[in-house]
């Protein structure tokens, strides 16, 4: 079974430039998460999708961040414009969400460096 | 909201020793506690989890214990090996939110 796929793996951009990250979850997983992980810290949730609906996005900085999950499968996270403080690893995870919390499977992440 | 504290931040042991990492949580509604292992530059991988209806769970050399009253849970690794070296994260989730709160991580170093 293929795992969560993310691209690109690495991205270096100048501040004020736009950037986009792509995630393909595990087949059949209805829930998709985007996390940001700063160096030396645990992942912090940005947004959670159930199918194509964003159900938890309170931690997403909506002035510059946007996300979509068209058709309830692949998802894209965008930052426009990027700031120096956005440098981090952006992790995508997926799970099959039923009646109780279940394990999430993480992708390899996209390491973003903003210069 | 939930707050998860994890200790220690760094743990150095000799190969063959045991390692224990401890986490506390604040939300009594949390009922699912996964542990992730993240090797340098790689994705977090689930290694073991426990639900609030059990007090202990084992899988070969790793075990997790949960004390609901005290709101703390611990990861135990026995007979550590150099390949156990990684950052370990605990997390807590409540069934209603599905949003995990992660600890800050413990960097485990196993010396050969």
């Amino acid at each position: 079974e293929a795992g969560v796929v993310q691209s690109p793996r690495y991205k270096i951009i100048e501040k004020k430039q736009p950037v986009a990250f792509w995630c393909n979850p595990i087949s059949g997983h209805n829930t998709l998460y985007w996390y940001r992980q700063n160096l030396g810290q645990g992942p912090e949730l940005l947004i959670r999708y159930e199918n194509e609906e964003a159900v938890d996005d309170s931690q997403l900085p909506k002035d510059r961040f946007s996300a979509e999950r068209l058709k309830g499968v692949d998802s894209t996270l965008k930052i426009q414009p990027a700031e120096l403080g956005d440098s981090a690893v952006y992790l995508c995870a997926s799970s099959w969400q039923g009646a109780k919390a279940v394990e999430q499977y993480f992708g390899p992440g996209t390491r973003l460096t903003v210069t | 909201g939930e707050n998860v504290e994890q200790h220690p931040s760094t743990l150095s042991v000799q190969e063959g020793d045991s390692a224990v990492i401890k986490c506390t949580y604040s939300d009594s509604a949390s009922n699912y506690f996964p542990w992730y292992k993240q090797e340098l530059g790689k994705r977090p991988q689930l290694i073991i989890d426990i639900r609030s209806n059990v007090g202990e769970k084992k899988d070969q050399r790793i075990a997790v214990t949960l004390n609901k009253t005290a709101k703390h849970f611990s990861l135990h690794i026995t007979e550590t090996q150099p390949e156990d070296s990684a950052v370990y994260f605990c997390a807590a989730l409540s069934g209603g939110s599905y949003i995990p709160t992660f600890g800050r991580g413990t960097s485990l170093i196993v010396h050969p």
Side-chain angles (χ1 to χ4, degrees), chain A residues 3-4 9 33 35 37 40-43 45 48 50 56 91 97-104 106-108 111, chain B residues 31-32 34 36 38 41-46 49 51 89 93-105:
Chain A
V4 177
R9 292 293 313 279
Y33 307 73
Y35 291 90
Q37 186 176 25
Q41 297 184 23
L45 184 73
R48 178 175 77 94
E50 283 186 11
D56 289 297
L91 292 164
Q97 212 75 59
K100 56 183 180 181
V102 293
E103 56 267 28
Q104 300 175 24
F106 283 87
R111 182 176 296 277
Chain B
N31 58 7
Y32 175 63
Y36 289 86
Q38 188 174 28
K42 296 189 176 180
R43 72 189 75 192
Q45 290 193 301
L46 179 73
D49 56 13
R51 296 191 183 274
F89 292 98
L93 294 86
S94 68
S97 73
Y98 303 113
I99 299 174
T101 300
F102 285 86
R104 293 176 65 90

Side-chain angles (χ1 to χ4, degrees), chain B residues 4-13 18-24 34-38 47-48 62-66 72-78 80 84-91 103-110:
Chain B
V4 175
E5 299 285 340
Q6 184 172 347
H7 300 279
S9 57
T10 304
L11 180 59
S12 183
V13 300
S18 295
V20 180
I21 302 170
K22 299 180 179 180
C23 289
T24 61
W35 285 89
Y36 289 86
K37 175 183 180 182
Q38 188 174 28
I47 55 171
I48 195 168
I62 60 173
V64 58
T65 58
L66 171 66
H72 67 70
F73 56 113
S74 301
L75 177 72
H76 304 253
I77 306 174
T78 58
T80 54
D84 295 329
S85 297
V87 178
Y88 291 80
F89 292 98
C90 63
R104 293 176 65 90
T106 296
S107 177
L108 174 64
I109 303 167
V110 181

Side-chain angles (χ1 to χ4, degrees), chain A residues 7-72:
Chain A
S7 69
R9 292 293 313 279
Y10 305 92
K11 190 74 176 179
I12 301 174
I13 60 171
E14 294 183 347
K15 62 181 181 182
K16 301 184 181 180
Q17 294 301 305
V19 64
F21 314 125
W22 175 81
C23 174
N24 180 242
I26 292 173
S27 177
H29 281 191
N30 61 347
T31 303
L32 184 147
Y33 307 73
W34 281 104
Y35 291 90
R36 177 167 56 192
Q37 186 176 25
N38 293 309
L39 189 64
Q41 297 184 23
E44 295 178 325
L45 184 73
L46 291 173
I47 189 169
R48 178 175 77 94
Y49 282 92
E50 283 186 11
N51 300 305
E52 65 274 9
E53 182 182 0
V55 294
D56 289 297
D57 64 355
S58 59
Q59 300 302 312
L60 190 71
K62 298 182 181 63
D63 56 336
R64 298 183 300 108
F65 285 65
S66 64
E68 60 182 12
R69 192 184 183 197
L70 301 176
K71 301 181 181 179

